[in-house]
Amino acid sequence: MAGDSLGKIFRITNWGESHGKAIGVVIEGVPPGLSLSQSDIQQELDRRRPGQSSLSSPRNESDSVQILSGLEAGKTTGTPLSMYIANSDTRPKDYTAMNNLFRPSHADFTYFSKYGIRSKSGGGRSSARLTAGSVAAGAVAKKILQSHFKVSFMAFVRSLAKISSPMEASQVSKQMIEANLVRTTDSKSAEKMAQCIEEAKHSGDSLGGIIECHIHGLPAGLGEPIYDKLDADLAKAMLSINACKGFEIGSGFSGTRLRGSEHNDQFIRSSTSGEIKTLTNHSGGVQGGISNGMPIVFRVAFKPTASISKTQHTLNEELQEQSFQAKGRHDPCVLPRAVPIVEAMAALVLADHMLRHRAQIGTFYKTPANSS
Amino acid sequence: MAGDSLGKIFRITNWGESHGKAIGVVIEGVPPGLSLSQSDIQQELDRRRPGQSSLSSPRNESDSVQILSGLEAGKTTGTPLSMYIANSDTRPKDYTAMNNLFRPSHADFTYFSKYGIRSKSGGGRSSARLTAGSVAAGAVAKKILQSHFKVSFMAFVRSLAKISSPMEASQVSKQMIEANLVRTTDSKSAEKMAQCIEEAKHSGDSLGGIIECHIHGLPAGLGEPIYDKLDADLAKAMLSINACKGFEIGSGFSGTRLRGSEHNDQFIRSSTSGEIKTLTNHSGGVQGGISNGMPIVFRVAFKPTASISKTQHTLNEELQEQSFQAKGRHDPCVLPRAVPIVEAMAALVLADHMLRHRAQIGTFYKTPANSS
Amino acid sequence: MAGDSLGKIFRITNWGESHGKAIGVVIEGVPPGLSLSQSDIQQELDRRRPGQSSLSSPRNESDSVQILSGLEAGKTTGTPLSMYIANSDTRPKDYTAMNNLFRPSHADFTYFSKYGIRSKSGGGRSSARLTAGSVAAGAVAKKILQSHFKVSFMAFVRSLAKISSPMEASQVSKQMIEANLVRTTDSKSAEKMAQCIEEAKHSGDSLGGIIECHIHGLPAGLGEPIYDKLDADLAKAMLSINACKGFEIGSGFSGTRLRGSEHNDQFIRSSTSGEIKTLTNHSGGVQGGISNGMPIVFRVAFKPTASISKTQHTLNEELQEQSFQAKGRHDPCVLPRAVPIVEAMAALVLADHMLRHRAQIGTFYKTPANSS
Amino acid sequence: MAGDSLGKIFRITNWGESHGKAIGVVIEGVPPGLSLSQSDIQQELDRRRPGQSSLSSPRNESDSVQILSGLEAGKTTGTPLSMYIANSDTRPKDYTAMNNLFRPSHADFTYFSKYGIRSKSGGGRSSARLTAGSVAAGAVAKKILQSHFKVSFMAFVRSLAKISSPMEASQVSKQMIEANLVRTTDSKSAEKMAQCIEEAKHSGDSLGGIIECHIHGLPAGLGEPIYDKLDADLAKAMLSINACKGFEIGSGFSGTRLRGSEHNDQFIRSSTSGEIKTLTNHSGGVQGGISNGMPIVFRVAFKPTASISKTQHTLNEELQEQSFQAKGRHDPCVLPRAVPIVEAMAALVLADHMLRHRAQIGTFYKTPANSS
């Protein structure tokens, strides 16, 4: 029940530290008989791994996953999937000089205040490296969802620092996103953003931005009011990602400026499929905490990376003032690598809610789209 | 484990429907020996109850709470607190004409798609009336927190539709907030906002807005990475509130436009108390998912109420098009009544994390402020 | 997550004290659309209620249940079922003289040592009166199980003090059990046992015994190794009943004296139904923690009631020696009233495991018996 | 929330299969700053490992544990402890001939009926090999308990088949138990039992027996009524051990034959320590589901091992009758190796309840014995 686990039926337990021997994740509640291969997982990890481009941390980790249990002859057995990822390129010495410091806007002080003890190497448990376990588990979650529904996930960088992509989501494709290093909507926006990242990198600074995520193909009916609303659990999952400072679904913060008569999503019947839809999607695919069959649309805010190489002032464990320049290998901007993490966290929430729904109800809401 | 419960140690289970006989909440994990009276709870319920002003729903509920168990001679016994609130002013007939309709941006369709059956009166379980249980439990959570720390909660309406309060939080007081019907920062803003609500009400429309919440006095060290981060659990709690569409902590969405060198919160030592602080609070009091002893600051976006009396178009359960005008008694704007709900949900999260922290660690981080 | 809740999907939360205003239970995770009436629940409560015969406590409680939520037009709605039972015949004064005493083999001292505070009336939360909530919820669990499978529960008193019923379970029927006040297998055993109880009652003493439970019609496949084995969860549920000191399934303690070649249950195919069975049932219907489709058979040991009217010696809260004679109204033997409690607790475990199985797997093991 | 996890605060997640690459366990909720070494864990694993004597399975596993996370410089960090044990002596070929068979009283059929798929090697997840993870975690649990209280665990074989040790527990020591291969109370009983095991082994048969466990030094106050009673959680933990068929605490099944006046445990004050005790301990250290400070005493029944080499009859997956002789390496009697497993499972329950108690209450009941 500690914070290292997520989910109620499809439940993951994440373990490890940034500069230890390995990290990993154990998944309980995986439906048996699901086709699964190492490469299903590896391809998502590869989207997240450091060193993938000049825009990300140069730490060189292959992030090769090993599946230690729960899989036999290419099928899940229904017993826990244990996945193991070695830490191969650790450089604890980079952190020696900062051992005693509370780096600004890092978790050094808060871990110290909580546990009375803290990892001396690269953030230990607070490192974003731990999201690898989430991404590995998220790949399994996607497979589970896709074994029942034609669910697709498309996250991308909507804005980076002060640069926003002007593209409408309907014009964007996964191919376009993966075709540029920033994982934004198009090559033109990507170019501007990449330049901006390079510039920040050279000046020893860092950038933040906003990721937008669209999920198509989810049936109506998922989510458990009144506290485990689908959007509530998505919000939690997103805020658990390192450097995340905000979440909004559908019309979000800007929707607060509309009137009810402008904001309400009118129900209509699709002339092609005959199924129930809404004319607009200010709700972002969730109403009353339950999916309504429209695309799930949300945005996630990431602050600029706390690790910068400019000189900074802080306190040490004895509460003495000190100035320092950070070492260690870091991303000047986490956004490009956060795209698969956002998708993975969403998949974890949705797979769990799919199984929870099945527990209580037994069947899913039938529409022409999923009743095939 | 269904969505009707929240928390792991301090755990509430909420039950009831809008137009049934009663609603209520059961709280497990309450520390024994805590002084608690009915009025501790009633005063928070009174801030939430309908009919409190011309700006809110005219439904007339006294929302008188009864404590049925867990309390003896004014002290909690450590066994479950069961609280009961009668529904006295139900008017199920108001809903008869809409029985068969999926009201736009309401939960009628999604409950129907999930359960195959839905309450025919006023939203049933999806009604915001159920937040009364959360508020009652939140009052207990506040008492628990305050039995250990000088924790104070101050939420207020930061913006309503397009009107924003320009006041800095440091200039605002609980007295000022409760002195105006809108629960915003000052009487001048309140006047503008109230006028705006009255206007929307008369035109049969509704409004949204943003609530900001400041929590002072929490010790460093609360929160459980890597998934049950304090901000993640706050995000979930807020998104579970009816009509909520977004959450941001500290610098939030606007912080994505800053550079790391601007955004990082420098640690300093308070010249007066000697304790560790940060010069700025872009982190909003949480770093790496754990409180750092600075004020917790977050904002919550509420969409305009879905219930409007203008004519709308929708589908019925047979997926036929229909137009209708909503009956029932509703708030043209939920913001004033949502202020105590935001505080209550935050208190529930914090009390649970306080006890969870005590479970694993045994003691709290000592600072001059809490070591008295 | 406190001990007041049981179950993961079908989850009950029990509240109340023996001599407070009321007791109750909230059930989450109830499948929607289930036909349910107050009398489904009342009939089980009536089997448990005090005052039902000369063999039980004279406390006069009608134990009338009210369903406050989760039910509309005779069908469950999928939202929490809240059930309320008033305490009408409380006599807190009976306990005044014993207020300060730690009654032997009661929970007075242990509640005091845990909470630092304890109910001054009749055991408070530790009273067996709280099993009424379990029985009410168990009635719902039975309905859920029976909506899918032809599950039947038959518990009875196997032995009382030194008197054992010699009947084989296959010769016993629910009718026979309910036809005698002891709820044992037959009228002859019942007569001996009743006489024994009457005698103990008159001598101010109390008796224990063993209840045996047979559950037919459960499909193979329920249970979740490696810790939430079906028999493990049954054991827990039984040991949570007041006065329970032991649990054994199938061959139990006496099976430890057999050899593997005698104990192993040979698989055979039923010549009539064609389905897989075992020749013997030393396993008690559970193998490797999962049901195998054979009858679930277990026995539960109950100690003699701690409340006796003979003079006893003990300590008071100041640890001074005192002698006393217990007042209050108690059962000289809990066995007859524990029969429906054993069934209810088993039903709670099985309904939860049925829904948990459906969450992960989606379908149930098909045999000629349940594939209709 | 699946059955692979146990505990609420001190929570373990067990993964792996008997004949896969490795098995392991992840522990959440470990208090930080606890001194812990690999050998603390290894010494308990060595008591459980196969091949330790002529009385146990000849499978040759060193069961060397690796700690992959959560430990730095010999101290726990408060983050998950991940422990890894390689499977080095797997012989999946031994099982080829039985691949298609449902071995009697094994979990082959039930896993098949649940998951529709089953491991083809040596029981897979249902193997008792998985108890190694529990034992490793139990070693950590013991350390946690012992960091607060002088808790000691003493389990031993009370009876084996029809041979019972006549020794009183007060005369037995851990040294005596570990000095004989059977782990019974004394060398004389050990000799008889060992002979009996050897004889069964040679005749291709197997034996069961009863383990008794005594836990000293636990404070009063642990346990969470009304469902998570301490004895209820112990019962569940024991029944989750492979081959376990029964649990009784204190007077257990035989206590059902006593009268209340004989069974009640009179409270007295220790003349030496001044603390509250009971004259007898029929309660087994638990009253009303909460520890009372007296020794916890319980007994656990183990059936004879299902694996025997005698010819047996059964069905295959096509429900055809077949006879077979089991291959694979098995224990003719699990009792000697089950002794450390019983202790470990008890320690897991007690450590969790200790932390749960601390969460809600903050302090422990003070007696002269633990207030040092």
Side-chain angles (χ1 to χ4, degrees):
Chain A
M1 303 282 147
D4 311 292
S5 295
L6 186 75
K8 292 192 173 174
I9 296 291
F10 180 83
R11 181 173 180 86
I12 69 169
T13 302
N14 180 311
W15 58 268
E17 288 102 28
S18 176
H19 288 247
K21 184 171 180 178
I23 61 174
V25 67
V26 181
I27 317 179
E28 299 168 83
V30 181
L34 184 77
S35 294
L36 184 74
S37 69
Q38 202 135 321
S39 73
D40 288 325
I41 294 153
Q42 195 62 51
Q43 67 188 29
E44 292 292 335
L45 284 171
D46 289 347
R47 294 173 73 207
R48 195 215 69 94
R49 80 175 180 84
Q52 64 183 267
S53 86
S54 61
L55 301 180
S56 65
S57 161
R59 178 167 169 172
N60 186 17
E61 292 286 356
S62 65
D63 278 359
S64 296
V65 68
Q66 286 182 61
I67 302 176
L68 297 175
S69 67
L71 195 68
E72 206 170 301
K75 299 274 186 189
T76 56
T77 56
T79 55
L81 266 176
S82 176
M83 298 195 280
Y84 180 101
I85 300 168
N87 285 334
S88 50
D89 185 22
T90 60
R91 298 194 194 159
K93 280 182 193 158
D94 280 3
Y95 297 88
T96 315
M98 301 185 294
N99 259 351
N100 192 32
L101 297 184
F102 297 137
R103 288 171 296 161
S105 289
H106 269 276
D108 298 337
F109 168 63
T110 54
Y111 269 68
F112 180 78
S113 70
K114 183 172 195 70
Y115 299 110
I117 193 174
R118 69 177 169 109
S119 182
K120 293 302 190 190
S121 313
R125 183 79 178 147
S126 72
S127 165
R129 175 145 186 75
L130 276 309
T131 59
S134 306
V135 168
V140 179
K142 284 184 178 178
K143 294 284 286 188
I144 293 172
L145 288 160
Q146 287 160 354
S147 72
H148 277 74
F149 308 106
K150 292 208 182 87
V151 184
S152 66
F153 292 79
M154 183 179 77
F156 53 81
V157 175
R158 169 54 81 190
S159 70
L160 191 140
K162 293 171 183 163
I163 307 167
S164 267
S165 155
M167 300 273 285
E168 290 205 15
S170 59
Q171 298 170 286
V172 185
S173 70
K174 285 213 78 154
Q175 287 70 16
M176 287 167 69
I177 297 163
E178 294 297 320
N180 68 77
L181 298 182
V182 183
R183 290 200 175 89
T184 186
T185 55
D186 60 299
S187 58
K188 207 162 147 188
S189 299
E191 203 175 317
K192 281 195 239 171
M193 291 175 180
Q195 205 172 342
C196 191
I197 295 174
E198 293 286 359
E199 182 274 330
K201 188 177 164 184
H202 294 135
S203 63
D205 218 328
S206 67
L207 303 174
I210 297 171
I211 288 177
E212 188 169 304
C213 183
H214 294 250
I215 303 165
H216 286 255
L218 204 71
L222 304 194
E224 285 197 1
I226 62 172
Y227 298 116
D228 295 349
K229 289 178 170 164
L230 197 63
D231 37 358
D233 279 350
L234 285 169
K236 175 186 164 113
M238 296 308 141
L239 265 289
S240 81
I241 304 175
N242 304 53
C244 175
K245 301 303 284 181
F247 169 88
E248 59 178 11
I249 187 158
S251 63
F253 279 88
S254 68
T256 65
R257 301 167 68 86
L258 298 178
R259 296 179 150 245
S261 56
E262 300 163 312
H263 191 276
N264 280 357
D265 294 321
Q266 185 185 332
F267 286 108
I268 55 165
R269 210 169 161 187
S270 162
S271 54
T272 53
S273 70
E275 63 190 318
I276 191 166
K277 303 186 67 169
T278 59
L279 209 51
T280 48
N281 189 16
H282 293 119
S283 300
V286 180
Q287 290 174 329
I290 300 174
S291 65
N292 67 357
M294 292 293 290
I296 309 281
V297 182
F298 59 85
R299 278 164 300 282
V300 189
F302 290 90
K303 68 171 186 175
T305 323
S307 291
I308 56 175
S309 52
K310 287 190 167 177
T311 299
Q312 294 184 88
H313 302 279
T314 191
L315 300 176
N316 64 16
E317 290 184 11
E318 286 73 41
L319 301 195
Q320 296 157 328
E321 289 178 35
Q322 280 201 255
S323 64
F324 77 106
Q325 275 187 298
K327 288 205 175 157
R329 294 152 298 170
H330 300 284
D331 296 88
C333 176
V334 299
L335 276 284
R337 292 176 57 204
V339 163
I341 303 172
V342 164
E343 289 182 16
M345 293 308 302
L348 292 171
V349 168
L350 297 176
D352 186 39
H353 271 286
M354 184 185 115
L355 300 184
R356 289 172 65 176
H357 177 90
R358 185 161 72 175
Q360 191 185 0
I361 321 287
T363 55
F364 298 100
Y365 182 65
K366 285 283 187 310
T367 68
N370 74 37
S371 59
S372 61
Chain B
M1 303 281 149
D4 310 293
S5 294
L6 186 76
K8 293 193 173 173
I9 295 290
F10 181 83
R11 180 172 180 85
I12 69 170
T13 302
N14 181 311
W15 58 268
E17 287 102 30
S18 176
H19 288 246
K21 185 171 179 176
I23 61 174
V25 67
V26 181
I27 317 180
E28 300 167 82
V30 181
L34 184 77
S35 293
L36 184 75
S37 70
Q38 203 135 319
S39 73
D40 289 324
I41 293 152
Q42 196 60 53
Q43 67 188 30
E44 292 291 334
L45 284 170
D46 289 347
R47 294 173 71 207
R48 193 215 71 93
R49 80 175 180 81
Q52 63 183 268
S53 85
S54 60
L55 302 180
S56 65
S57 161
R59 179 167 169 172
N60 186 17
E61 292 286 356
S62 66
D63 279 359
S64 296
V65 67
Q66 286 183 61
I67 302 176
L68 298 173
S69 66
L71 195 69
E72 206 169 301
K75 300 272 186 189
T76 57
T77 56
T79 56
L81 267 175
S82 176
M83 297 195 280
Y84 179 101
I85 300 167
N87 285 335
S88 50
D89 185 20
T90 61
R91 297 194 195 159
K93 280 182 195 161
D94 280 3
Y95 297 89
T96 313
M98 301 185 293
N99 259 350
N100 193 33
L101 296 184
F102 297 137
R103 289 171 296 162
S105 290
H106 269 276
D108 298 338
F109 168 64
T110 53
Y111 270 68
F112 180 77
S113 69
K114 182 173 196 71
Y115 299 111
I117 192 174
R118 70 178 169 107
S119 183
K120 293 302 188 188
S121 314
R125 183 77 179 149
S126 72
S127 166
R129 174 145 187 75
L130 276 308
T131 58
S134 307
V135 168
V140 180
K142 284 183 177 177
K143 294 283 286 187
I144 293 172
L145 288 160
Q146 287 160 354
S147 73
H148 277 73
F149 308 106
K150 291 206 183 87
V151 184
S152 66
F153 292 79
M154 184 179 75
F156 54 81
V157 175
R158 169 54 81 189
S159 70
L160 191 138
K162 292 171 184 163
I163 308 167
S164 268
S165 155
M167 299 273 286
E168 291 204 13
S170 60
Q171 297 170 286
V172 185
S173 70
K174 284 214 78 153
Q175 287 71 14
M176 287 166 69
I177 297 163
E178 294 297 319
N180 68 78
L181 297 182
V182 184
R183 291 201 175 88
T184 186
T185 55
D186 60 300
S187 57
K188 207 163 147 187
S189 299
E191 204 175 315
K192 282 194 238 172
M193 291 175 180
Q195 206 172 341
C196 190
I197 295 174
E198 292 287 0
E199 183 274 330
K201 188 177 163 184
H202 293 134
S203 64
D205 218 327
S206 66
L207 303 174
I210 296 171
I211 288 177
E212 188 168 304
C213 184
H214 294 251
I215 303 164
H216 286 255
L218 204 71
L222 303 194
E224 286 198 359
I226 61 171
Y227 298 116
D228 294 351
K229 289 178 170 165
L230 196 64
D231 38 358
D233 279 350
L234 285 169
K236 174 186 164 113
M238 296 308 141
L239 265 288
S240 81
I241 303 174
N242 304 53
C244 176
K245 302 303 283 182
F247 170 87
E248 60 177 12
I249 186 158
S251 64
F253 279 88
S254 68
T256 66
R257 302 166 68 87
L258 299 178
R259 297 179 149 245
S261 56
E262 299 163 313
H263 192 276
N264 280 357
D265 293 322
Q266 185 185 332
F267 285 109
I268 54 166
R269 209 168 162 187
S270 162
S271 54
T272 53
S273 70
E275 63 190 318
I276 191 166
K277 304 186 68 168
T278 59
L279 208 52
T280 48
N281 189 15
H282 292 119
S283 301
V286 181
Q287 290 174 329
I290 299 174
S291 65
N292 68 357
M294 291 293 289
I296 309 281
V297 182
F298 59 85
R299 277 164 302 281
V300 189
F302 290 90
K303 68 169 186 175
T305 323
S307 291
I308 56 175
S309 52
K310 288 191 167 175
T311 299
Q312 296 183 88
H313 303 279
T314 191
L315 300 176
N316 64 16
E317 291 185 9
E318 286 73 42
L319 302 194
Q320 296 158 328
E321 288 178 35
Q322 280 203 254
S323 63
F324 76 107
Q325 276 187 297
K327 287 206 175 155
R329 295 152 297 168
H330 301 283
D331 296 88
C333 175
V334 299
L335 277 283
R337 291 176 59 204
V339 163
I341 304 172
V342 163
E343 288 182 16
M345 293 307 301
L348 293 171
V349 168
L350 297 177
D352 186 39
H353 271 285
M354 184 184 115
L355 300 183
R356 289 171 66 176
H357 177 90
R358 186 161 71 175
Q360 193 186 359
I361 321 286
T363 55
F364 297 100
Y365 182 66
K366 284 283 187 310
T367 68
N370 75 37
S371 59
S372 61
Chain C
M1 302 283 148
D4 310 293
S5 294
L6 186 77
K8 293 193 174 174
I9 295 290
F10 181 83
R11 180 173 181 85
I12 68 169
T13 302
N14 181 311
W15 59 267
E17 287 101 29
S18 176
H19 288 246
K21 185 172 180 177
I23 61 173
V25 69
V26 180
I27 318 180
E28 299 168 81
V30 180
L34 185 77
S35 293
L36 184 74
S37 70
Q38 203 135 321
S39 73
D40 288 325
I41 293 152
Q42 196 61 53
Q43 67 189 29
E44 293 291 337
L45 283 171
D46 288 348
R47 295 173 72 206
R48 194 215 71 94
R49 80 175 180 82
Q52 62 184 268
S53 86
S54 61
L55 301 179
S56 64
S57 161
R59 179 167 168 170
N60 185 17
E61 291 286 356
S62 66
D63 278 359
S64 297
V65 68
Q66 286 183 61
I67 302 176
L68 297 174
S69 66
L71 194 68
E72 207 169 302
K75 300 272 185 189
T76 57
T77 55
T79 55
L81 267 176
S82 176
M83 297 196 280
Y84 179 102
I85 300 167
N87 285 335
S88 50
D89 185 20
T90 60
R91 297 195 195 159
K93 279 181 193 161
D94 280 4
Y95 297 90
T96 313
M98 300 186 295
N99 258 351
N100 193 32
L101 297 184
F102 297 136
R103 288 170 297 161
S105 290
H106 269 277
D108 298 338
F109 167 64
T110 54
Y111 269 67
F112 181 77
S113 70
K114 182 173 195 70
Y115 299 111
I117 192 174
R118 69 178 170 109
S119 184
K120 293 302 188 188
S121 314
R125 183 79 179 146
S126 72
S127 166
R129 174 145 187 75
L130 275 308
T131 58
S134 306
V135 168
V140 180
K142 284 183 178 178
K143 294 283 287 187
I144 293 171
L145 288 160
Q146 287 159 355
S147 72
H148 277 73
F149 308 106
K150 293 209 183 86
V151 183
S152 66
F153 292 79
M154 184 179 76
F156 53 83
V157 175
R158 169 54 80 189
S159 71
L160 192 137
K162 292 170 185 164
I163 308 166
S164 267
S165 155
M167 300 272 285
E168 290 205 14
S170 59
Q171 298 170 285
V172 185
S173 70
K174 284 214 78 153
Q175 287 70 16
M176 287 167 69
I177 297 163
E178 294 297 319
N180 68 77
L181 297 182
V182 184
R183 291 202 175 88
T184 186
T185 55
D186 61 298
S187 58
K188 206 161 148 188
S189 300
E191 205 175 316
K192 282 195 238 170
M193 291 175 181
Q195 206 172 342
C196 191
I197 296 174
E198 293 287 359
E199 183 273 330
K201 189 177 162 184
H202 294 135
S203 64
D205 218 329
S206 66
L207 302 174
I210 297 172
I211 288 177
E212 188 169 304
C213 184
H214 295 249
I215 303 164
H216 286 255
L218 205 71
L222 304 193
E224 286 198 2
I226 61 172
Y227 299 116
D228 294 350
K229 289 178 170 165
L230 197 64
D231 38 359
D233 278 351
L234 285 169
K236 174 185 164 115
M238 296 308 142
L239 265 289
S240 81
I241 304 174
N242 304 53
C244 175
K245 302 302 284 181
F247 170 87
E248 59 177 13
I249 186 158
S251 63
F253 279 88
S254 67
T256 65
R257 302 166 67 87
L258 298 178
R259 297 179 149 245
S261 55
E262 300 164 311
H263 191 277
N264 281 356
D265 293 322
Q266 186 185 332
F267 285 109
I268 55 165
R269 208 166 163 189
S270 162
S271 54
T272 53
S273 69
E275 62 190 319
I276 191 166
K277 303 187 68 169
T278 59
L279 208 53
T280 47
N281 189 15
H282 292 120
S283 301
V286 181
Q287 290 174 328
I290 300 173
S291 65
N292 68 357
M294 292 292 290
I296 309 281
V297 182
F298 59 85
R299 277 163 301 282
V300 189
F302 289 90
K303 68 170 187 176
T305 323
S307 292
I308 56 175
S309 52
K310 288 191 166 174
T311 299
Q312 296 184 87
H313 303 279
T314 191
L315 300 176
N316 64 16
E317 291 185 10
E318 287 72 42
L319 302 194
Q320 296 157 328
E321 289 177 36
Q322 280 204 253
S323 63
F324 76 107
Q325 275 186 299
K327 288 206 174 155
R329 296 152 297 170
H330 300 282
D331 297 88
C333 175
V334 299
L335 276 284
R337 291 176 58 204
V339 163
I341 304 172
V342 164
E343 289 182 16
M345 293 307 302
L348 292 171
V349 168
L350 297 177
D352 186 38
H353 272 285
M354 184 184 116
L355 300 184
R356 288 172 66 177
H357 177 90
R358 185 161 72 175
Q360 193 187 358
I361 321 287
T363 55
F364 298 100
Y365 183 65
K366 284 283 186 308
T367 67
N370 73 37
S371 60
S372 61
Chain D
M1 302 283 149
D4 311 294
S5 294
L6 186 76
K8 293 193 173 173
I9 296 290
F10 181 83
R11 181 173 180 85
I12 69 169
T13 303
N14 180 311
W15 58 268
E17 287 102 28
S18 175
H19 289 245
K21 185 171 179 177
I23 60 173
V25 67
V26 181
I27 317 179
E28 298 168 82
V30 181
L34 185 76
S35 294
L36 185 73
S37 70
Q38 203 135 318
S39 73
D40 288 325
I41 294 153
Q42 195 62 52
Q43 67 189 29
E44 292 292 335
L45 283 171
D46 289 347
R47 294 173 72 206
R48 194 215 70 93
R49 78 174 182 82
Q52 62 184 269
S53 85
S54 61
L55 301 180
S56 66
S57 161
R59 178 167 169 171
N60 185 17
E61 291 286 355
S62 65
D63 278 359
S64 297
V65 68
Q66 286 184 59
I67 302 176
L68 298 174
S69 66
L71 194 69
E72 208 169 299
K75 299 273 185 189
T76 56
T77 56
T79 56
L81 267 175
S82 176
M83 297 195 281
Y84 180 100
I85 300 167
N87 285 335
S88 50
D89 185 21
T90 61
R91 297 194 196 160
K93 280 182 194 159
D94 280 4
Y95 297 90
T96 314
M98 302 186 293
N99 259 352
N100 193 32
L101 296 184
F102 297 136
R103 288 170 296 160
S105 290
H106 269 276
D108 298 338
F109 169 63
T110 54
Y111 270 67
F112 181 77
S113 71
K114 183 173 195 70
Y115 299 110
I117 192 174
R118 69 177 170 111
S119 182
K120 293 302 188 189
S121 313
R125 183 77 179 149
S126 72
S127 166
R129 174 143 188 75
L130 276 309
T131 58
S134 306
V135 168
V140 179
K142 284 184 177 177
K143 294 284 286 188
I144 293 171
L145 289 160
Q146 287 160 352
S147 72
H148 277 73
F149 308 106
K150 292 208 183 87
V151 184
S152 66
F153 292 79
M154 184 179 76
F156 53 82
V157 175
R158 168 55 79 191
S159 70
L160 192 138
K162 292 171 185 165
I163 307 166
S164 267
S165 154
M167 299 273 285
E168 290 205 13
S170 59
Q171 298 171 286
V172 184
S173 70
K174 285 214 76 155
Q175 287 71 15
M176 287 167 70
I177 297 163
E178 294 298 320
N180 68 77
L181 298 182
V182 184
R183 292 201 174 87
T184 186
T185 55
D186 60 299
S187 58
K188 207 162 150 187
S189 301
E191 205 175 315
K192 281 195 239 171
M193 292 174 180
Q195 206 172 341
C196 190
I197 295 174
E198 293 286 0
E199 182 274 330
K201 187 177 164 184
H202 294 134
S203 64
D205 218 329
S206 67
L207 302 174
I210 296 172
I211 288 177
E212 188 169 305
C213 183
H214 294 250
I215 303 166
H216 286 255
L218 205 70
L222 303 194
E224 286 197 1
I226 60 171
Y227 299 116
D228 295 349
K229 288 177 171 165
L230 197 64
D231 37 359
D233 278 350
L234 285 170
K236 174 186 164 114
M238 296 308 141
L239 265 289
S240 81
I241 303 174
N242 303 53
C244 175
K245 302 302 284 181
F247 169 88
E248 60 178 12
I249 187 159
S251 64
F253 279 88
S254 67
T256 66
R257 301 166 68 86
L258 299 178
R259 297 179 150 245
S261 56
E262 299 164 313
H263 192 276
N264 280 357
D265 294 322
Q266 184 185 332
F267 285 109
I268 55 166
R269 209 168 162 188
S270 162
S271 54
T272 53
S273 70
E275 62 189 318
I276 191 167
K277 303 186 69 169
T278 59
L279 209 52
T280 48
N281 189 16
H282 293 120
S283 300
V286 180
Q287 290 174 329
I290 300 174
S291 64
N292 68 356
M294 292 293 290
I296 309 281
V297 182
F298 59 85
R299 277 164 301 282
V300 189
F302 290 89
K303 68 170 187 176
T305 323
S307 291
I308 56 175
S309 52
K310 288 191 166 174
T311 298
Q312 295 184 88
H313 302 278
T314 191
L315 299 176
N316 64 17
E317 290 184 11
E318 286 72 40
L319 301 194
Q320 296 158 330
E321 289 178 35
Q322 281 202 252
S323 63
F324 76 106
Q325 275 187 296
K327 289 206 175 157
R329 295 152 297 169
H330 300 283
D331 296 88
C333 176
V334 299
L335 276 283
R337 290 177 58 204
V339 163
I341 303 172
V342 164
E343 288 183 16
M345 294 307 301
L348 292 171
V349 168
L350 297 177
D352 187 39
H353 272 285
M354 183 184 117
L355 300 183
R356 289 173 65 177
H357 177 90
R358 185 161 72 175
Q360 193 187 359
I361 320 287
T363 55
F364 298 99
Y365 183 66
K366 285 283 187 310
T367 67
N370 74 37
S371 60
S372 60

